[in-house]
Amino acid sequence: MAAFLDSSIEFLKGVGPQKAEALRLELGIHTIGDLLSHYPFRHEDRSKIYQVRDLTSDNVQVQLQGKIIPSGIMGQGPGRRLVAQFSDATGQLELVWFKGISFLEKSIKPGAEYRVNGRISIFKGKANMAHPELELIDGNSAAETLGRALVPVYPLTDGMRRRRMDNRFMAQLTSTALRHADYLLPENLPQSILEKFRLPNRSDAVRELHAPTSLSNLEIAKNRLKFEELFYLQLRHLMIKGNRDRHSPGLRFDRVGDSFNTFYKDYLPFPLTNAQKRVIKEIRVDMNSGKQMNRLLQGDVGSGKTIVALLTALIAMDNGYQVALMAPTEILATQHFYSLQESLGLMPIKMRLLTGSSSKKQREELLAEAEDGQLNLLIGTHALLEDQVKFKQLGLVIVDEQHRFGVAQRAKLWKKGQTIPHVLVMTATPIPRTLAMAVYGDLDVSVIDELPAGRKPVQTAHRPESNRAIVMDFLKKEIALGRQVYYVFPLIEDSDKLELQSLMSGYDTVTQYLPTPHYKYSLVHGRMKAEEKEEQMQLFKRGGSDIMIATTVIEVGVNVPNASVMVIENAERFGLSQLHQLRGRVGRGAEQSYCILLSGPKLSENGRKRLQTMVATTDGFEIAKVDLELRGPGEIDGTKQSGVLDLKLADIRADEAILVAARTEAIGWLAQDELLMKPESSGIRAELAKSPHRTLWSKIS
Ligand code: ADP
Ligand code: MG
């Protein structure tokens, strides 16, 4: 049977050399096997026939049946089109084609009965249909699709449409291929897995997908093929990870020594949450496993990742290794430096800060200390990646807020040790569990899914700009109670100059309501020098100012527990994850905190949904889910090269349960046959050996 599947597509009836060439070029279909793996991306329910009378809504896909009379070719150049009148017993409708005109004109039989499938558009109260698909009803034609309720719709390219290789062509071709073989595709999932989940075999599933027999059978077939797709996605991730584990031995941190214990006993400022304890345990096990740790630590804003990072760092130091902590902005690196210094109190740990604005002298000292091993902990920005930064014994790299760092940048840090250091990546952009698995399938994931006790959820309101005066009164009251306020303006088109302008005019507006010198301000924006920013931050932090006016530079990580109000101007211009990050700046102390989202009167549907979501929930994972729905997985940070976009059938948004099952099975399978050497793994081996034609998928519109 393999021979049949591997034979050229040209051997199929209806495919001459030209069409074969087009299939190769446009869709990457070389063989009959390729053709059968070219899945329809949806199915149309053609059990229903609409009547012209009932066509009142725009942009819906319908099927009609009636007679067609061509009115001829009209217009010039790009406007050249074939027009025809369609009529059934209830009314008339105009059909238009812009492509393949002369062929169509010749082939339409005036007055004959047709099935017409297409999308309705209503123009000036009249319905019409562009590029409908036609099927002549004359007893013997197109038996494959006619009368069948569920018709597969295949991805096509413009190049194919130009050659009149349309959906019907694809459907016919596929059904010819299916007719020529009873048993088609070799099974690529282990029998035990098929039985466990009662999945149909591959051959039946593929057949059902191309030629559905019922809606429920189609669902079963699709689930099987989605499972297969996700199983292989996960298997590939896990094999990369397994390979790394086998070939790059990790440093073994088997000591929990003085630093960790002293800190835990004498310096820990609060009891850890259970989630923090669990995560620290996971990390300890990792770092003592003899394998290199690659762990993603997810935790919503304010969940307390910093203390986890610190305890992890102490373990590395107790084992005689140095630690690098990298943050995406100077403000954040600086804040980490001071807050860790404070936390560590009198403990004998040597730490330093390296940023773009470190002086030459500071740099020289610090580089020398890192290289001769005196330095225990180096905190910094991208500056840590520079080649001059060398460590004597780098054992752990912690990357905070990783979505700002590229993969290549991270890889550069790995290279700074003789043995690859352990890596802990912390992110406050909660990625839904499914996406994390799909995207970071080769990392281990820890989640802090619990906020410290006593936190009150931030109360969030959406107000029109016209209510600004009321909002300002509210701010006055809060400030009178001793609280502090963040007041944030959006970045405008990435232009520093405009940013400054809008920030200054915003500042003027705010001070009209809350005048200086009675109210004291800090101001932070992207054009400031690092020291100035830091000075303004510190001023706010120690309570020297009531209101912090800022652009989104404060988005990430800043921690001022007494600040309990966040106002965001033009909130509709921010993305959901950004709004969530911003809101995370408040609600860090014991007081009730507030977030006020101001917007203009005109909101896009999407913008409204974002603001509504912010008002409705403070759960970062919930927000991430909506964000994913609104933007699609391709727009979520870090997913672009992950391969999740190339999935043919599975949709990680909708198919979470299947993804989880597929991952569990993939882990289980590798646990008992790591190198896929057993006979039961031969199907898997064969599948992995095939070079996927998946890159071609992205060509399809
Ligand atoms: P994030 O996860 O956003 O980086 P941080 O580490 O900045 O959060 O912690 C947010 C705030 O919560 C800080 O003020 C921190 O001191 C405090 N915090 C962290 N863990 C706990 C805890 N277990 N109990 C009480 N407060 C905590
Ligand atoms: Mg943080």
Side-chain angles (χ1 to χ4, degrees):
M1 197 38 65
F4 175 70
L5 292 173
D6 289 340
S7 53
S8 164
I9 195 77
E10 268 180 62
F11 296 117
L12 272 184
K13 184 171 154 260
V15 185
Q18 276 179 2
K19 288 198 165 129
E21 180 70 4
L23 285 168
R24 274 195 288 273
L25 288 176
E26 297 290 328
L27 298 176
I29 295 175
H30 298 250
T31 64
I32 292 171
D34 292 341
L35 176 71
L36 293 175
S37 314
H38 184 67
Y39 298 154
F41 65 102
R42 63 185 174 91
H43 293 81
E44 264 172 34
D45 183 355
R46 295 199 179 165
S47 53
K48 183 168 168 63
I49 295 175
Y50 286 78
Q51 302 204 302
V52 173
R53 189 172 53 200
D54 303 329
L55 303 178
T56 49
S57 30
D58 207 10
N59 203 29
V60 286
Q61 182 78 32
V62 296
Q63 169 170 256
L64 303 166
Q65 185 164 330
K67 295 183 174 19
I68 297 179
I69 313 268
S71 332
I73 294 176
M74 305 180 179
Q76 296 291 324
R80 201 172 116 86
R81 63 198 184 273
L82 172 67
V83 180
Q85 295 303 318
F86 168 88
S87 56
D88 65 11
T90 69
Q92 281 210 341
L93 175 78
E94 197 167 85
L95 310 178
V96 212
W97 293 265
F98 292 90
K99 286 174 190 161
I101 298 176
S102 27
F103 172 80
L104 261 168
E105 198 195 18
K106 269 179 259 155
S107 59
I108 293 179
K109 294 187 179 158
E113 188 88 351
Y114 280 90
R115 282 266 173 98
V116 177
N117 274 281
R119 204 166 274 282
I120 283 294
S121 60
I122 311 268
F123 186 65
K124 290 188 180 161
K126 280 179 70 179
N128 67 79
M129 200 184 261
H131 285 273
E133 208 186 296
L134 302 183
E135 250 172 298
L136 184 64
I137 305 200
D138 66 351
N140 61 14
S141 73
E144 292 82 11
T145 53
L146 200 61
R148 190 196 289 156
L150 291 162
V151 173
V153 181
Y154 291 93
L156 295 171
T157 62
D158 278 347
M160 293 186 62
R161 292 194 191 93
R162 270 199 303 279
R163 292 179 174 87
R164 294 194 299 277
M165 293 160 70
D166 56 9
N167 195 54
R168 228 175 86 201
F169 169 80
M170 291 304 293
Q172 276 170 357
L173 211 58
T174 312
S175 91
T176 309
L178 287 169
R179 258 206 311 276
H180 278 79
D182 296 332
Y183 181 77
L184 287 165
L185 302 166
E187 184 53 67
N188 61 6
L189 289 177
Q191 198 57 37
S192 57
I193 292 181
L194 293 183
E195 278 163 21
K196 179 168 173 187
F197 295 98
R198 302 216 190 117
L199 299 173
N201 70 46
R202 183 147 188 256
S203 221
D204 291 347
V206 169
R207 180 183 291 278
E208 182 69 28
L209 191 70
H210 289 296
T213 54
S214 76
L215 209 51
S216 60
N217 287 345
L218 176 62
E219 265 330 286
I220 293 168
K222 269 184 163 154
N223 282 344
R224 133 90 218 203
L225 295 168
K226 285 175 181 179
F227 182 96
E228 174 189 322
E229 199 167 31
L230 294 168
F231 179 79
Y232 279 98
L233 179 76
Q234 291 303 319
L235 206 64
R236 287 197 171 90
H237 276 317
L238 293 165
M239 289 174 73
I240 290 172
K241 179 168 152 32
N243 211 31
R244 196 170 56 210
D245 289 349
R246 277 191 303 278
H247 298 295
S248 52
L251 303 164
R252 198 179 272 277
F253 294 173
D254 50 11
R255 234 173 315 162
V256 174
D258 281 354
S259 305
F260 187 93
N261 288 327
T262 308
F263 181 81
Y264 208 95
K265 274 211 305 287
D266 301 340
Y267 291 90
L268 197 64
F270 35 68
L272 296 180
T273 62
N274 287 329
Q276 285 170 321
K277 284 186 199 157
R278 188 192 64 233
V279 167
I280 289 163
K281 218 177 268 166
E282 287 169 353
I283 291 171
R284 265 176 54 185
V285 170
D286 266 12
M287 295 197 303
N288 190 23
S289 70
K291 292 176 190 163
Q292 184 226 353
M293 173 172 79
N294 267 288
R295 190 166 279 277
L296 179 74
L297 172 57
Q298 282 201 72
D300 207 345
V301 217
S303 61
K305 293 183 290 295
T306 315
I307 199 81
V308 172
L310 177 55
L311 286 163
T312 306
L314 292 173
I315 297 174
M317 293 174 205
D318 276 340
N319 285 274
Y321 285 90
Q322 294 168 294
V323 178
L325 168 59
M326 192 160 78
T329 64
E330 279 199 44
I331 288 190
L332 194 59
T334 311
Q335 177 181 287
H336 272 319
F337 179 76
Y338 287 113
S339 79
L340 292 186
Q341 205 168 45
E342 202 184 310
S343 306
L344 290 170
L346 296 174
M347 288 181 60
I349 284 169
K350 190 156 176 94
M351 57 192 284
R352 287 277 212 165
L353 175 68
L354 176 65
T355 67
S357 42
S358 303
S359 73
K360 193 157 175 268
K361 182 161 164 287
Q362 284 170 331
R363 286 178 68 94
E364 277 166 7
E365 282 176 18
L366 160 171
L367 292 178
E369 288 172 11
E371 196 162 359
D372 71 14
Q374 279 184 60
L375 191 64
N376 302 115
L377 174 59
L378 181 59
I379 298 174
T381 54
H382 298 79
L384 297 193
L385 298 173
E386 289 162 19
D387 291 335
Q388 302 100 295
V389 182
K390 297 191 184 83
F391 292 88
K392 182 152 186 258
Q393 290 233 68
L394 182 62
L396 170 68
V397 175
I398 302 172
V399 184
D400 195 9
E401 318 290 357
Q402 66 89 35
H403 60 291
R404 300 283 176 99
F405 288 104
V407 175
Q409 285 177 315
R410 269 187 271 152
K412 216 170 160 184
L413 253 180
W414 297 188
K415 292 195 195 118
K416 292 193 178 286
Q418 288 79 5
T419 307
I420 304 180
H422 295 300
V423 177
L424 180 67
V425 176
M426 304 196 289
T427 171
T429 310
I431 307 167
R433 199 178 136 75
T434 44
L435 195 56
M437 278 202 277
V439 177
Y440 300 106
D442 63 330
L443 299 184
D444 294 309
V445 180
S446 287
V447 184
I448 305 184
D449 49 6
E450 180 188 357
L451 293 178
R455 290 271 174 84
K456 299 190 184 81
V458 181
Q459 282 186 23
T460 305
H462 171 209
R463 297 280 177 265
E465 283 160 1
S466 50
N467 282 10
R468 191 177 278 119
I470 302 173
V471 172
M472 295 294 183
D473 280 341
F474 176 72
L475 300 188
K476 280 183 188 166
K477 278 190 208 132
E478 287 295 305
I479 293 170
L481 291 171
R483 314 282 137 71
Q484 289 167 285
V485 176
Y486 289 106
Y487 207 107
V488 178
F489 292 88
L491 270 177
I492 297 192
E493 295 178 354
D494 278 341
S495 148
D496 284 353
K497 211 166 157 187
L498 283 175
E499 175 192 344
L500 195 57
Q501 260 175 27
S502 79
L503 193 69
M504 289 335 266
S505 78
Y507 174 73
D508 289 344
T509 312
V510 179
T511 52
Q512 276 168 26
Y513 293 94
L514 305 169
T516 54
H518 183 72
Y519 293 97
K520 298 186 185 59
Y521 288 84
S522 291
L523 193 68
V524 174
H525 58 79
R527 283 200 126 192
M528 276 179 163
K529 287 214 188 80
E531 301 111 75
E532 289 177 290
K533 273 191 221 167
E534 186 47 35
E535 206 175 283
Q536 294 290 312
M537 277 303 306
Q538 291 303 333
L539 178 68
F540 188 63
K541 209 164 178 168
R542 63 170 184 267
S545 56
D546 308 299
I547 302 160
M548 157 74 78
I549 301 266
T551 51
T552 46
V553 285
I554 61 147
E555 180 190 335
V556 163
V558 171
N559 191 26
V560 182
N562 189 52
S564 62
V565 185
M566 164 74 56
V567 183
I568 305 173
E569 288 268 357
N570 292 119
E572 75 277 14
R573 294 206 198 154
F574 292 88
L576 257 180
S577 71
Q578 215 178 4
L579 288 172
H580 180 64
Q581 286 292 312
L582 282 168
R583 181 169 60 184
R585 300 306 110 217
V586 296
R588 300 185 152 235
E591 304 304 333
Q592 175 62 56
S593 295
Y594 304 91
C595 174
I596 301 160
L597 308 168
L598 291 171
S599 78
K602 277 194 194 130
L603 287 176
S604 67
E605 200 180 311
N606 212 308
R608 182 174 305 279
K609 178 91 208 234
R610 287 199 298 271
L611 299 185
Q612 274 169 357
T613 304
M614 287 299 293
V615 172
T617 180
T618 53
D619 179 343
F621 286 87
E622 195 54 43
I623 289 170
K625 231 183 203 166
V626 177
D627 199 28
L628 187 61
E629 274 159 28
L630 291 178
R631 296 198 296 169
E635 295 303 316
I636 304 289
D637 298 303
T639 60
K640 290 226 164 69
Q641 288 90 30
S642 65
V644 281
L645 299 179
D646 292 338
L647 294 173
K648 289 202 277 187
L649 287 176
D651 175 350
I652 48 161
R653 285 174 283 183
D655 299 321
E656 169 158 10
I658 303 178
L659 175 58
V660 173
R663 182 171 171 84
T664 309
E665 291 308 314
I667 290 171
W669 195 264
L670 290 175
Q672 48 97 23
D673 189 12
E674 194 184 5
L675 299 174
L676 301 175
M677 301 302 272
K678 295 188 181 167
E680 307 89 274
S681 295
S682 63
I684 295 179
R685 266 204 317 277
E687 179 65 33
L688 288 171
K690 271 197 243 165
S691 68
H693 295 298
R694 53 163 40 169
T695 45
L696 283 146
W697 200 255
S698 54
K699 246 180 79 176
I700 294 160
S701 51

